[in-house]
Amino acid sequence: MNNSLGVYIHIPFCSSRCKYCDFVSSTGGEDAMREYVAALKGEIQARATDYVNYTVDTLFIGGGTPSALYVGGVEEIILHLRRSFNCDFTEATVECNPESLTENKLDEYISSGVTRLSIGVQSLSDNTLSALGRRHTAPMARQAVSLAVESGLDVSCDIMLATPYQSPHSAARDAEELSDMGVSHISAYMLSLEQGTPLAREYSCGKYSYDDDCAADIYQAVADKLHEKGFDRYEVSNWAKEGKECLHNLKYWKRLPYLGLGAAAHSLIGNTRFYNSHSIEEYLEGARDSSYPVIAEAVLTDKEEEEELIMLSLRTSSGLDTSQMGKEGRRYIERARRNPRYFNTHGDKIVVKDEFIPVLSQVTLLLMD
Amino acid sequence: MSRDQSNIRNFCIVAHIDHGKSTLADRIMDVTGAVSKREAKQQLLDSMDIERERGITIKLTPVRMEYEYGGKTYIFNLIDTPGHVDFTYEVSRSLKACEGAILIVDASQGVEAQTLTNVYLAVDNDLEIIPVINKIDLPSARPEEVKAEIEEVIGIPADDAPLISAKEGVGIEEVLAQVVDRLPPPSGDIDKPLKALVFDSYYDSYKGAVSIVRIFDGTVSAGDRIMMMSTGMQFDVTEVGFFTPNSRAVERLEAGDVGYLCASIKNVSDTKVGDTITSSVNPTPEPLAGFKEAEPMVYSGVYPADGAHYDDLKDALEKLKLNDAALFYEPEVSAALGFGFRCGFLGLLHMEIIEERLEREFNLDLVTTAPSVSYRVVTTSGETVEVSNPTMLPPAGQIDHMEEPVVKAEIFTPPEYVGTVMELCQDKRGTFVNMTYIEAKRVMLEYEMPLNEIIYDFFDSLKSRSKGYASLDYEILGYKRGDLVKMDILLNGELCDALSLIIHKDKAYARGRVIAEKLKDIIPRQLFEVPIQAAIGGKVIARETVKAVRKDVLAKCYGGDITRKKKLLEKQKEGKKRMRQVGSVEVPSEAFMTILKFDK
């Protein structure tokens, strides 16, 4: 009997670096990309032997910007994956940016078996986009979204909350417009100012200001609008029309097995977490001698698993199923019942009440030891 | 083989803080060859980190030196004295051990508050005083004016005062020559019964409590049976000796000597500073005059930040107490802070030093409550109760009136700051007593002031208002009736006992407002709104609100990398552990200290 496996493939290339980003990415040219894809293929092959008992049912190619890859690159990767792993995709997502999503690439994705596109729209306001250092404009974003929707693939858009020049009203208007265009999934993340990024510097020198209450208002406005538009919040930052939830992302929250391939990709297999080097250079080196070393491997203790399960599953609308936790589960149910202001309990399940989702970490701590 | 007392000189150095006392002491040791320079650094200054960092002397270390002068060898016993007002009693005891004092005055700063206090103490103890003007190497030095100041303000001739730079080693020989020529030798009677003054003590893990003594009459040797005159406790002497500055055992100490005495004494508190030691076989009829028990003036609750470290804190206090008879502590329980101790200190500096040592030397993370003085509460039934912890105050209905300690404060300041300093004193409920122009550039203000007002931020405010020029000294006058009330702080409607304080009625409104505002900034937003109220009795006098938190970080989780989210949660969890639970409200430890500093 085969276990299902999610595969995440990291494409660490972008046409330029956004001002808020501190993630692994390179603005390298086609040669660098080809070298990387070759390494990736090597890793796919090398790892595959450990997963003969698994079937890959969800694939997520993220980045970076997978759509920034040369034409044919994504196809090459997926083909190689199919050759090396048992694949039966229920869902296969490619992350795209508006400026690099072309009809050619769309055709390439569709013919490779991609079912879903996740577009980094971030905002439909030019002021905001340029403050974030995005390469695309609002009209380009609209064009990419309609192109994607017309292709018949499931389309998800990332939007960023609490960004420069954004108001609760404008954020809700963006969400509404995307919904009206036929997008069936929206991921809305709060801007997080990472140390050392140009945007963080601009905030600290006073070019923009950040206000927690305003951020909360923006989040709430978007949540309300999406609710009105028939979306369900199935996870803190993710909304979907019925049946359009991202199955791959759900694996992260449900602690189902996923394997990350490529630089900086993280994996969870059973009770072991591991990841590849965050440096592209180091990753390529590992490919050259075919060693593909994982950088850190941690076998989680029962306690750690328990805490992860709480932290991750409370993010979802289906909540924490304490029946998975054996005896320990009772304690958590009781704790939740003692805090009825924050939690709903149904049988063995604990779900954070809607109004406390924006302060989820604090609420989560109420359950933890 | 008794020594010739005429060759002995027992003296100390007195000065205002920072006028160069320790530097001169080091220099004198260099010249007399007591220690090499390298050793001096390691042995003398390493004794207590805090002393060095703060540039103050807390423990008294008498050093015995030999000095060749005019073909004769003299024995110098240099007794260092603490330079801070908290330790005035210790200073007075060590002055008693001397026949003379070197008075250092900074050549640019002139006479300061503690210069005067210490000189008065020296005069009270009939010491011969040698004024010395230090730091003449500084461009701002004005030795002639300072000489005039010494003559006018202190009233001692300063014409022959050596002009020195202890830092540069200039003029040291002249100081030593004057020590020989001008200071009288001791004049005790070696044949009389033993009479020795304890002027300091410390704990040694091998020898037990070691008494540092000045022998006035008689002799003492190992094997003698001695008696502490204040308690009647008896001990067998195991060792006597000198500090050079390392301890060096000798056969006996005689009248005129300064040295140490070990007698298997378990606690420092059994060898009290100021006590007289005599022979239990042949006791002296009269002890030396002026013995006082060290009395704490300032109290504060000291709690471990992590309740699990209560026993560590207890051990640490026990160890410190071994060496510091003035430290007082007793167990205390607070609803907000758990198990801890109510500690009594000689003053604010003493408090800061103890707290710093607990944190540094014992690696403890502490939460301390605002310092309080000890109030006298006269109840309606006519009883008098001492209260140093506001939560222990009897119910308002049972209080007839309250009394608070008042001090006489002497403030030295340049005339341009007189206005602002007087305003500050007035604001701190001071009663003006006197103002004296010491010379064109220095004014001495005398105020009678509640100690309670001084222990908060008076000293800091004084310094900032006078750009650092004003200096302060004070002595306790006694207790005075005051219109005092207990102010409570309520968080989300629940009383936080560790934040209660006793305060003058007229100050309560303003302080209540400031504390509420500060707490509002310090208490993090929680899952619900937290009202902060300052109240007297049942009456709320100030209110602020900490709004409920509305969002956490909801950042993207890239490619299944949950490490950031885990770290963030771990951090929040840690943060939560450091919080104190007051009812339903989480309060950071700093909150309990905020009411310390309330000046805007």
Side-chain angles (χ1 to χ4, degrees), chain A residues 22 95 158 190 194 210 212-213 215 217 236 252 258 266 273 307-308 341 358-362, chain B residues 525 527-528 547 549-552 554-562 564-566 569 572-573 576:
Chain A
D22 75 336
E95 264 187 343
D158 278 7
M190 293 274 180
E194 303 297 341
Y210 190 91
D212 267 359
D213 286 339
D217 288 340
V236 175
Y252 301 153
Y258 57 91
H266 285 238
R273 288 200 179 272
E307 294 211 330
E308 278 194 0
R341 182 168 180 248
V359 287
L360 185 69
S361 349
Q362 303 237 10
Chain B
R525 294 170 69 171
L527 285 165
F528 45 86
K547 285 190 289 176
V549 66
R550 292 190 50 210
K551 82 163 242 306
D552 289 333
L554 303 170
K556 187 167 178 170
C557 156
Y558 288 93
D561 176 5
I562 64 157
R564 278 190 192 182
K565 295 202 186 298
K566 267 167 100 169
L569 203 68
Q572 285 176 316
K573 219 164 143 184
K576 212 173 146 137

Side-chain angles (χ1 to χ4, degrees), chain A residues 103-151:
Chain A
E103 276 184 72
N104 279 348
K105 284 182 185 165
L106 253 178
D107 292 342
E108 172 197 338
Y109 300 159
I110 293 169
S111 66
S112 317
V114 169
T115 65
R116 191 172 175 274
L117 295 178
S118 167
I119 306 176
V121 170
Q122 313 311 352
S123 166
L124 290 175
S125 137
D126 283 338
N127 280 342
T128 301
L129 288 169
S130 104
L132 294 174
R134 300 291 298 195
R135 282 172 76 90
H136 67 270
T137 59
M140 285 160 80
R142 290 189 182 97
Q143 203 192 341
V145 171
S146 13
L147 196 68
V149 170
E150 278 160 25
S151 74

Side-chain angles (χ1 to χ4, degrees), chain A residues 156-216:
Chain A
S156 171
C157 291
D158 278 7
I159 56 175
M160 202 170 264
L161 307 182
T163 52
Y165 310 113
Q166 191 181 44
S167 66
H169 177 74
S170 69
R173 200 184 50 214
D174 286 359
E176 179 171 31
E177 189 177 344
L178 293 171
S179 162
D180 291 347
M181 289 173 80
V183 167
S184 57
H185 185 284
I186 284 186
S187 302
Y189 304 104
M190 293 274 180
L191 169 66
S192 76
L193 294 170
E194 303 297 341
Q195 246 186 347
T197 59
L199 194 62
R201 279 195 292 277
E202 286 173 355
Y203 270 91
S204 69
C205 74
K207 184 166 176 191
Y208 310 114
S209 67
Y210 190 91
D211 175 72
D212 267 359
D213 286 339
C214 180

Side-chain angles (χ1 to χ4, degrees), chain B residues 195-212:
Chain B
K195 190 186 256 188
L197 170 75
V198 179
F199 65 91
D200 193 18
S201 58
Y202 66 91
Y203 189 80
D204 181 292
S205 37
Y206 298 108
K207 297 175 183 169
V210 178
S211 315
I212 298 182

